[in-house]
Amino acid sequence: MREIWKDDFKGFSIGAFPYDPEHSAMGEYHYYPVQGYQGGWYDPITGSSYRGPSWIITEQDGRHYMEQMRLSAPGEHVSCPTLVAGDKDWKDYRVSVQMRRLSLQEPAGILVRYQTSLMHYAVWLYQQKVQLVRVCKAEQKILCEAEYDFDCEQFYTLEAELQGEQILVRINGQEMLRTHDASYAWGSIALASYMPAQYTDVSVSMEAEEIRRLSQERAEVGVRLAKKRMQYPQPRLWKVIDLKNFGAGRQIRFGHLTGTEEMFFVMAQHQKRVFKDRYANISCLTAVSIESGEVLWQKGEPSDIKDHQYLTADLPFQIYDIDGDGIDEVILARDFHLMILDGRDGSVKKEVWTPIHEEEPSELCGIEFGKHAFHHLNVDAIRIVNTAGHERPSQILVKDRYSRLYIYDQDLRLQWKFTHNNTGHFPFSYDFDGDGREEIFSCYNMISAEGELLWELPIHRDHTDEILYGSIDPENEAVLAMVSGWEGFMIVDRQGHILVRDINGHGQRISTGNYCPERPGLEICTTTYWGNQGILYLYDSKGREIWHQEPGSNGNIIAPVNWKGDGTELILLNGNVRLGGMMDGEGERVVTFPDDGHPDLCAEVLDLTGDCRDEIVLWDEKRMYIYTQDGEALAGELEYCPLKYPHYNASNYRGEYAFPRWIRRK
């Protein structure tokens, strides 16, 4: 065998391996990478309880060690501290590492044929045994094990050799385990330990034939990918807008504020109150023309402080023509008032106080510290709905963080409220029963147009992050599809029956579109965040997994993009030059962004030029770049204009969809 890769960590200075000191939810929908030298490794694990790094580089007698320093144990919703390196295309190889356990408790070792942090083989030293374990999402199976007396005083050379279905494990050159398993044919390597352990001298070797195969395969993939990319328009910079001192993270809304065809965006900054992001209050709203980049109006005081710009939740504001006069209003909650602003100048047209708390905190879900923080409700999110059965939506749904929904009419008169376990983040509204009035699906609850509970899913933990609804499978009726944190990805019928469920990590985002035109129906894409972050899954119309992958980054929007206009959607990852771009249904990045210094913190998809194809909006707190296609739209009598989530119900927690629709060209 020939060594093809190695690391003795001499390239690292002693100190912490780069990490997010906040371990925040920014990575749910922002491209928010850790800063610092990583040396070809990445950490795929995050958790809200973390404080400090998982991995540190230490030194002793001139040798450098990568040291895992968290204290944890295997269990439900517990992710093993992991550090990944190498090439996902590796198949047959031998990995060797010098390791010393610093505690005899809990498993420690290496991962091989690593595809994601939830799909791999693990070689553990644990309970005076060496074990080979197959990890597949929530299931862990010991394939084989043998007694081995190890201690915490010395280093051991741990080796795993993979040849086809055969897996061998050696310690200090002695064969300990030999078995066959066909579950994983390819994947990279990782260090992994639930308790403190040290690693050094990591190396990967391959036979000459395998090196040739890998080289040839990479060349073939490169040629195929180059041909694919030639079939798609390239991103062309269309607009650059200076956000001055009013910029923010993914708190943006789009609409026609002046009653003309001119498109504007409204960006919100905030101040946090009481506890983390649970009680944020809008501190500044700025309306900006996309055409000119000029500020139309501003309400509040802008700030350059990042704590006012970055938020890991929604803010309660929408752009919508609530009164039907042809001019969009801005509906928002601010300073305990529900308001309707004139889109043209930001003046207040109507306002009322938000509700006063009537329930005891103990009766509600998610009330921090067992106390209502304020006399009046601090609104968490707003949605425009049609529970009254009017010709167009004209009711306003407001909610607190996790426990209550309120419905107001267009004159800000309270119609009803609902509370029952958890509300989730952003309820979905639709006329599910066809009576002309929208029902509301919130977390696990189906709520009638009058505010009565119709049914609930038999799930009582965690909450639903994103929901979508529509005809996905051509052989069956329309369904709800959702991701509900640790409760996984689900497909549910209108009667509340769970048709498909996959516990695939902490489900964070979901979308559907015609990602694989050769397959019947639409495909569903999901991604994870907490614990095992950044895992992408693609499912067919019946909820069967097509592929999975771990791109090694967070902040993947996975929104469907009508980029070419041919009836096929691409999947937007993020705006980063190296790790972002747009992916096709085969999981390959077929469109990448130019290396022109553009921001990549935030991304949004919408048609701004009017040709039905989507533009990509990228921004951070300082600048906004908007990209369109470098070629003309496809010719023909019909153009592809898929049905998408309406702009007036924007949210960081909305499941994105693109349902096929062809219209006659104007």
Side-chain angles (χ1 to χ4, degrees):
M1 283 196 171
R2 194 177 89 194
E3 186 176 71
I4 64 162
W5 186 93
K6 66 179 181 179
D7 200 342
D8 60 4
F9 306 113
K10 286 289 186 64
F12 290 84
S13 300
I14 64 169
F17 186 86
Y19 72 104
D20 176 10
E22 299 297 326
H23 292 284
S24 73
M26 283 288 290
E28 291 180 349
Y29 38 78
H30 298 89
Y31 176 70
Y32 193 68
V34 296
Q35 302 299 314
Y37 176 71
Q38 298 184 61
W41 299 82
Y42 73 91
D43 183 350
I45 307 300
T46 189
S48 58
S49 63
Y50 286 5
R51 290 297 178 268
S54 296
W55 298 87
I56 59 175
I57 296 88
T58 58
E59 180 272 340
Q60 185 68 33
D61 297 328
R63 299 184 76 186
H64 279 204
Y65 304 96
M66 186 65 73
E67 181 176 323
Q68 199 292 110
M69 47 82 70
R70 292 206 174 277
L71 307 181
S72 58
E76 191 177 28
H77 306 164
V78 176
S79 301
C80 182
T82 300
L83 207 59
V84 185
D87 193 323
K88 67 178 180 62
D89 295 324
W90 289 347
K91 292 183 178 178
D92 294 344
Y93 58 87
R94 180 177 66 212
V95 57
S96 173
V97 61
Q98 294 278 313
M99 67 168 295
R100 178 175 68 158
R101 304 208 43 168
L102 301 179
S103 167
L104 293 179
Q105 303 178 64
E106 314 306 343
I110 57 174
L111 312 180
V112 295
R113 285 188 178 164
Y114 178 101
Q115 299 182 3
T116 77
S117 60
L118 288 174
M119 304 186 80
H120 54 256
Y121 297 112
V123 181
W124 294 134
L125 294 180
Y126 181 46
Q127 294 181 337
Q128 298 303 302
K129 295 177 181 178
V130 55
Q131 299 177 328
L132 178 65
V133 179
R134 182 180 63 220
V135 178
C136 183
K137 300 177 182 175
E139 178 186 353
Q140 298 195 19
K141 181 178 180 179
I142 299 176
L143 299 178
C144 55
E145 61 182 7
E147 300 290 331
Y148 190 80
D149 187 20
F150 58 87
D151 56 40
C152 296
E153 284 74 51
Q154 59 183 309
F155 279 85
Y156 298 86
T157 301
L158 185 60
E159 288 183 358
E161 185 171 332
L162 304 104
Q163 297 291 333
E165 297 180 5
Q166 179 176 272
I167 306 172
L168 283 77
V169 175
R170 303 182 184 95
I171 300 179
N172 294 341
Q174 178 184 356
E175 183 176 313
M176 302 298 301
L177 303 174
R178 181 188 291 260
T179 191
H180 289 77
D181 190 85
S183 301
Y184 303 126
W186 50 266
S188 52
I189 63 167
L191 315 177
S193 175
Y194 287 96
M195 296 289 286
Q198 291 178 327
Y199 300 84
T200 193
D201 295 334
V202 187
S203 72
V204 176
S205 303
M206 288 182 183
E207 299 282 1
E209 182 59 34
E210 178 64 10
I211 295 172
R212 284 192 293 270
R213 182 206 63 78
L214 184 61
S215 177
Q216 182 179 348
E217 185 177 274
R218 285 171 173 169
E220 291 172 351
V221 169
V223 170
R224 188 184 73 250
L225 189 55
K227 289 181 178 179
K228 272 190 178 183
R229 289 176 173 177
M230 291 177 63
Q231 300 173 14
Y232 293 94
Q234 295 304 300
R236 176 176 64 85
L237 185 60
W238 182 58
K239 298 280 184 182
V240 177
I241 298 174
D242 183 2
L243 301 182
K244 301 178 177 65
N245 62 346
F246 59 78
R250 209 161 182 265
Q251 303 293 336
I252 194 169
R253 308 291 187 260
F254 296 88
H256 302 278
L257 296 178
T258 59
T260 67
E261 293 298 314
E262 185 176 5
M263 182 70 83
F264 294 80
F265 68 84
V266 175
M267 187 164 282
Q269 295 182 341
H270 69 280
Q271 286 184 288
K272 298 175 177 62
R273 291 168 162 170
V274 183
F275 182 68
K276 297 183 178 180
D277 293 339
R278 300 295 176 88
Y279 300 95
N281 180 58
I282 293 175
S283 56
C284 183
L285 280 182
T286 307
V288 182
S289 166
I290 291 178
E291 181 178 325
S292 67
E294 297 299 315
V295 174
L296 178 66
W297 52 263
Q298 188 171 79
K299 193 175 185 69
E301 184 174 329
S303 171
D304 288 323
I305 299 172
K306 279 194 174 1
D307 204 42
H308 299 163
Q309 299 168 334
Y310 292 177
L311 187 70
T312 62
D314 269 337
L315 284 174
F317 71 115
Q318 299 289 1
I319 298 176
Y320 180 65
D321 182 12
I322 193 70
D323 58 12
D325 66 351
I327 303 170
D328 282 348
E329 285 78 40
V330 178
I331 301 103
L332 79 152
R334 185 187 185 207
D335 192 31
F336 310 109
H337 283 80
L338 184 60
M339 306 177 184
I340 299 176
L341 308 184
D342 192 314
R344 295 166 292 189
D345 57 14
S347 61
V348 179
K349 298 176 72 171
K350 297 176 183 178
E351 69 176 314
V352 296
W353 285 96
T354 61
I356 295 171
H357 299 288
E358 297 176 340
E359 301 87 353
E360 290 295 322
S362 60
E363 300 173 3
L364 301 172
C365 174
I367 305 299
E368 302 294 340
F369 310 112
K371 297 180 182 293
H372 292 301
F374 308 104
H375 185 62
H376 285 271
L377 187 79
N378 191 90
V379 177
D380 178 74
I382 289 175
R383 183 184 179 97
I384 310 302
V385 300
N386 189 6
T387 55
H390 295 162
E391 290 186 5
R392 57 192 298 275
S394 57
Q395 289 79 51
I396 303 167
L397 181 154
V398 306
K399 65 180 288 291
D400 63 1
R401 183 69 170 181
Y402 288 125
S403 57
R404 288 161 293 182
L405 310 176
Y406 301 79
I407 300 292
Y408 289 82
D409 67 13
Q410 65 184 36
D411 295 314
L412 303 185
R413 293 176 297 209
L414 181 62
Q415 304 298 291
W416 52 263
K417 73 173 183 178
F418 175 87
T419 181
H420 179 69
N421 58 52
N422 203 310
T423 61
H425 282 296
F426 195 62
F428 190 90
S429 61
Y430 190 84
D431 181 14
F432 293 98
D433 61 8
D435 68 349
R437 300 179 300 169
E438 288 185 343
E439 289 73 42
I440 297 168
F441 184 75
S442 177
C443 195
Y444 307 125
N445 307 309
M446 183 64 79
I447 307 163
S448 75
E450 296 83 17
E452 301 296 325
L453 180 65
L454 297 174
W455 52 259
E456 61 182 304
L457 297 179
I459 301 172
H460 305 287
R461 299 187 303 176
D462 218 319
H463 57 257
T464 296
D465 285 285
E466 294 192 351
I467 307 161
L468 56 88
Y469 175 80
S471 182
I472 297 171
D473 180 2
E475 296 180 347
N476 291 292
E477 64 178 16
V479 292
L480 288 153
M482 67 198 76
V483 282
S484 300
W486 293 110
E487 299 302 311
F489 157 63
M490 288 177 279
I491 297 177
V492 177
D493 68 17
R494 289 180 291 184
Q495 291 75 43
H497 303 117
I498 299 175
L499 307 176
V500 174
R501 188 174 185 189
D502 187 15
I503 309 298
N504 60 4
H506 184 286
Q508 189 63 53
R509 310 217 68 189
I510 189 169
S511 70
T512 190
N514 192 23
Y515 299 132
C516 303
E518 72 282 1
R519 293 176 177 269
L522 305 182
E523 290 71 47
I524 300 169
C525 186
T526 73
T527 187
T528 64
Y529 187 65
W530 294 107
N532 312 85
Q533 69 167 330
I535 305 174
L536 301 179
Y537 298 91
L538 192 71
Y539 301 89
D540 69 10
S541 60
K542 297 186 183 298
R544 297 172 299 205
E545 184 183 314
I546 300 172
W547 51 254
H548 57 265
Q549 60 173 280
E550 187 178 281
S553 69
N554 56 27
N556 292 311
I557 302 300
I558 64 167
V561 183
N562 176 24
W563 187 248
K564 193 175 180 180
D566 63 349
T568 302
E569 274 77 41
L570 299 179
I571 302 168
L572 175 65
L573 299 176
N574 57 69
N576 186 257
V577 173
R578 186 173 66 89
L579 297 174
M582 294 174 240
M583 178 183 289
D584 67 6
E586 293 182 322
E588 295 184 314
R589 290 194 310 144
V590 294
V591 178
T592 58
F593 292 106
D595 190 5
D596 57 1
H598 65 261
D600 55 14
L601 178 71
C602 307
E604 187 63 276
V605 178
L606 73 163
D607 175 21
L608 292 172
T609 62
D611 67 355
C612 283
R613 296 181 300 172
D614 289 320
E615 278 62 57
I616 307 296
V617 185
L618 303 177
W619 76 98
D620 58 14
E621 71 278 13
K622 299 183 182 299
R623 304 165 301 156
M624 175 180 287
Y625 281 46
I626 304 175
Y627 293 92
T628 189
Q629 297 81 9
D630 68 353
E632 299 295 324
L634 299 175
E637 293 184 4
L638 301 178
E639 58 184 342
Y640 183 64
C641 291
L643 290 170
K644 293 198 163 190
Y645 220 117
H647 301 317
Y648 60 77
N649 275 329
S651 171
N652 288 327
Y653 298 100
R654 71 181 194 186
E656 301 284 0
Y657 56 77
F659 292 111
R661 181 181 64 170
W662 293 85
I663 63 174
R664 192 164 298 279
R665 196 176 299 276
K666 297 178 181 178

